């Protein structure tokens, strides 16, 4: 189903869109993602992708829309692998996922049957997967992927592996060498089967954290330098505005002023997750029925979502994950986050480091610079063209200031 804009940028549809905060949206309700989906497809025709995104910005829905609209002669295989605990287990699932595309191929069936007879097997669905020893997983994976070259009717086989960094972290805790070998093996497979195979790595934990930890244990390779990094950001303002307006219209809410839609979208960083939450909360409030909703009412709902001890928007995650992300450097990262959050506007690197160093005077300048870059890669900070730093998302900044009981400080141009 296609949507079009009229003069007031309202999405036109023959079905009603209900707010669905945190749920899986129907494909028709994933709006404003046509350009990024088209870019993914164009890029995957040439190379694999490292897909980055802050949580709740809509990465999963982008992948679902890409999968649903991929060319007919592409095989798109999507799996959440975040809970997999070893390379052999990962290979089992890869084999189970490619089996439907290879089950009619005699060579593959004979190879798989031979492995099962030789090594014993585990039944997953209609197939018996071999119980190979840990040191055999690499060869089994290479042989399994090689069989995909036999399928002339499929131009591309695209693996969408969500939460791959979490899988690698789990593996690395007990067997860092295996995590290194898995990264290197996947890179080698992309090179060896460049005409057929594409991989998309995604995850709420940045892969750079895993690679950094592995390098501290002797890993010297660059496992994803052949992949294009693409960030899934919030919606464009026009699309987020239209989403707010459509949710209002489809659910019989009336806006007190036309600019309420854009103001709401902007206040929520144009992130669909928050937009759906706000409209859902408005529908639960009898005061929204039968009378126009003004921005004061919307702001009250936003304030509750940010400041409620019930944590309805799961903002607590932004502090909790710093323990897993930064380890021994966590305290310094929290100091930087507090400094930037408490500034009324963006501030220079020099001012940011000066204020953070007040708590940790022995930390060297270079370490502060590395931590700032790390926080930027993890979507906490946005570095402006003039070099100044600010929080990337106003919703997260507002929560951080409230949760950490920070006082807003005027610095530089704000004074």
């Amino acid at each position: 189903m296609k949507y079009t804009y009229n003069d007031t940028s309202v999405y036109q549809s023959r079905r009603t869109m209900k707010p669905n905060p945190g749920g899986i949206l129907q494909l028709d309700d994933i709006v404003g993602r046509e350009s990024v989906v088209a870019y993914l497809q164009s890029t995957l025709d040439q190379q694999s992708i490292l897909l980055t995104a802050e949580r709740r910005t809509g990465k999963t829905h982008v992948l679902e829309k890409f999968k649903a609209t991929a060319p007919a002669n592409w095989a798109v295989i999507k799996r959440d692998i975040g809970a997999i605990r070893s390379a052999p287990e990962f290979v089992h699932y890869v084999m189970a996922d490619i089996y439907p595309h290879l089950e009619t191929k005699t060579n593959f069936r004979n190879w798989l049957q031979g492995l099962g007879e030789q090594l014993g097997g585990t039944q997953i669905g209609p197939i018996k997967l071999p119980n190979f020893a840990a040191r055999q997983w690499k060869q089994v994976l290479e042989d399994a992927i090689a069989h995909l070259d036999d399928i002339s009717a499929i131009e591309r086989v695209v693996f969408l592996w969500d939460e791959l960094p979490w899988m690698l972290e789990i593996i690395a805790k007990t067997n860092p060498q295996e995590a290194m070998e898995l990264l290197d093996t996947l890179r080698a497979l992309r090179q060896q089967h460049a005409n057929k195979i594409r991989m998309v790595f995604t995850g709420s934990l940045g892969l750079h954290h895993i690679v950094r930890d592995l390098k501290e244990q002797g890993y010297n390779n660059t496992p994803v330098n052949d992949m294009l990094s693409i960030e899934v950001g919030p919606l464009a303002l026009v699309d987020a505005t239209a989403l707010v307006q459509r949710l209002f219209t489809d659910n019989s809410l009336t806006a007190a002023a036309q600019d309420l839609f854009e103001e709401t979208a902007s206040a929520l960083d144009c992130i669909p997750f928050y937009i759906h939450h706000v409209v859902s909360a408005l529908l639960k409030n009898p005061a929204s029925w039968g009378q126009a909703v003004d921005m004061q009412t919307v702001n009250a709902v936003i304030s509750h979502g940010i400041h409620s001890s019930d944590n309805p928007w799961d903002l607590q995650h932004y502090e909790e994950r710093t323990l897993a992300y930064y380890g021994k450097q966590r305290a310094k990262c929290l100091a930087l986050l507090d400094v930037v959050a408490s500034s009324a506007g963006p501030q220079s690197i020099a001012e940011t480091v000066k204020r953070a160093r007040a708590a940790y005077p022995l930390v060297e300048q270079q370490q502060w610079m590395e931590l700032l870059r790390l926080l930027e890669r993890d979507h906490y900070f946005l570095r402006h063209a003039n070099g100044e730093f600010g929080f990337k998302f106003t919703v997260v900044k507002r929560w951080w200031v409230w949760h950490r009981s920070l006082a807003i400080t005027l610095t530089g141009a704000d004074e």
Side-chain angles (χ1 to χ4, degrees), residues 95 99 108-116 127-130:
M95 293 172 69
Y99 177 81
F108 179 76
R109 291 202 315 271
N110 291 342
W111 170 77
L112 193 59
Q113 182 179 354
L115 279 179
I127 60 173
K128 190 174 186 179
L129 297 177

Side-chain angles (χ1 to χ4, degrees), residues 31-316:
V31 300
R33 296 304 192 182
E34 292 76 15
S35 60
V36 69
V37 168
Y39 186 49
L40 290 179
Q41 180 177 315
S42 174
T43 301
L44 287 168
D45 204 32
Q46 306 298 322
Q47 66 184 120
S48 295
I49 291 174
L50 182 63
L51 196 66
T52 65
E54 184 49 271
R55 66 194 306 267
R56 302 301 195 182
T57 53
K59 164 181 59 66
T60 299
H61 287 124
V62 167
L63 292 178
E64 289 295 338
K65 195 145 195 172
F66 162 74
K67 182 179 179 182
T69 58
N73 61 347
W74 285 23
V76 181
I77 299 168
K78 182 176 183 292
R79 181 177 287 278
D80 185 329
I81 59 175
I84 291 176
R85 310 190 70 81
S86 69
E89 184 183 359
F90 170 72
V91 176
H92 272 157
Y93 281 104
V94 171
M95 293 172 69
D97 287 337
I98 67 175
Y99 177 81
H101 305 284
L102 289 166
E103 59 182 329
T104 62
K105 300 295 181 180
T106 302
N107 289 342
F108 179 76
R109 291 202 315 271
N110 291 342
W111 170 77
L112 193 59
Q113 182 179 354
L115 279 179
E117 292 173 351
Q118 176 186 356
L119 303 173
T122 299
Q123 197 76 23
I124 298 182
I127 60 173
K128 190 174 186 179
L129 297 177
N131 290 332
F132 42 81
R135 60 186 177 183
Q136 296 170 308
W137 65 264
K138 187 188 303 185
Q139 188 61 55
V140 173
L141 178 60
E142 291 172 351
D143 291 346
I145 295 297
H147 280 91
L148 292 172
D149 288 330
D150 296 336
I151 315 175
S152 58
I154 296 179
E155 181 182 2
R156 297 276 180 268
V157 178
V158 183
F159 293 99
L160 306 179
W161 285 322
D162 200 8
E163 301 297 358
L164 177 134
W166 284 121
M167 176 191 72
L168 289 170
E169 183 185 55
I170 291 172
I171 296 173
K173 284 180 179 178
T174 57
N175 194 339
Q177 186 62 37
E178 184 173 279
M180 298 177 199
E181 290 182 6
L182 180 54
L183 278 169
D184 290 343
T185 300
L186 293 177
R187 189 185 190 283
L189 288 171
R190 293 194 298 273
Q191 303 300 311
Q192 295 165 11
H193 304 278
N195 291 329
K196 176 80 72 170
I197 303 298
R198 300 290 184 266
M199 300 176 189
V200 179
F201 296 168
T202 72
S204 52
L205 169 65
L207 185 60
H208 55 279
H209 286 289
I210 307 302
V211 175
R212 182 188 59 170
D213 291 344
L214 291 176
K215 285 184 179 296
E216 291 178 356
Q217 301 180 70
Y219 186 54
N220 295 315
N221 294 341
T222 51
V224 294
N225 65 344
D226 62 318
M227 304 174 77
L228 181 65
S229 180
I230 297 176
E231 180 178 353
V232 176
L235 295 175
L237 180 58
V238 63
D239 293 318
T241 300
L243 175 60
V244 176
Q245 186 168 358
R246 182 179 166 200
L247 283 168
F248 265 63
T249 301
D250 283 6
N251 294 279
S252 301
L253 292 174
T254 304
Q258 183 67 24
D259 58 5
L260 176 137
F261 305 125
E262 183 173 327
E263 287 186 37
T264 300
S266 181
L268 296 170
D269 298 310
C270 298
I271 295 177
F273 172 76
Y274 299 138
I275 292 172
H276 278 265
H277 259 291
V278 166
V279 176
S280 179
L282 288 171
L283 290 172
K284 293 177 183 176
N285 184 3
S288 304
W289 305 344
Q291 64 181 34
V293 176
D294 57 21
M295 201 60 207
Q296 182 178 355
T297 301
V298 171
N299 282 331
V301 172
I302 294 174
S303 181
H304 179 269
I306 293 173
H307 301 142
S308 173
S309 59
D310 294 334
N311 192 29
W313 294 2
D314 196 23
L315 294 167
Q316 182 73 40

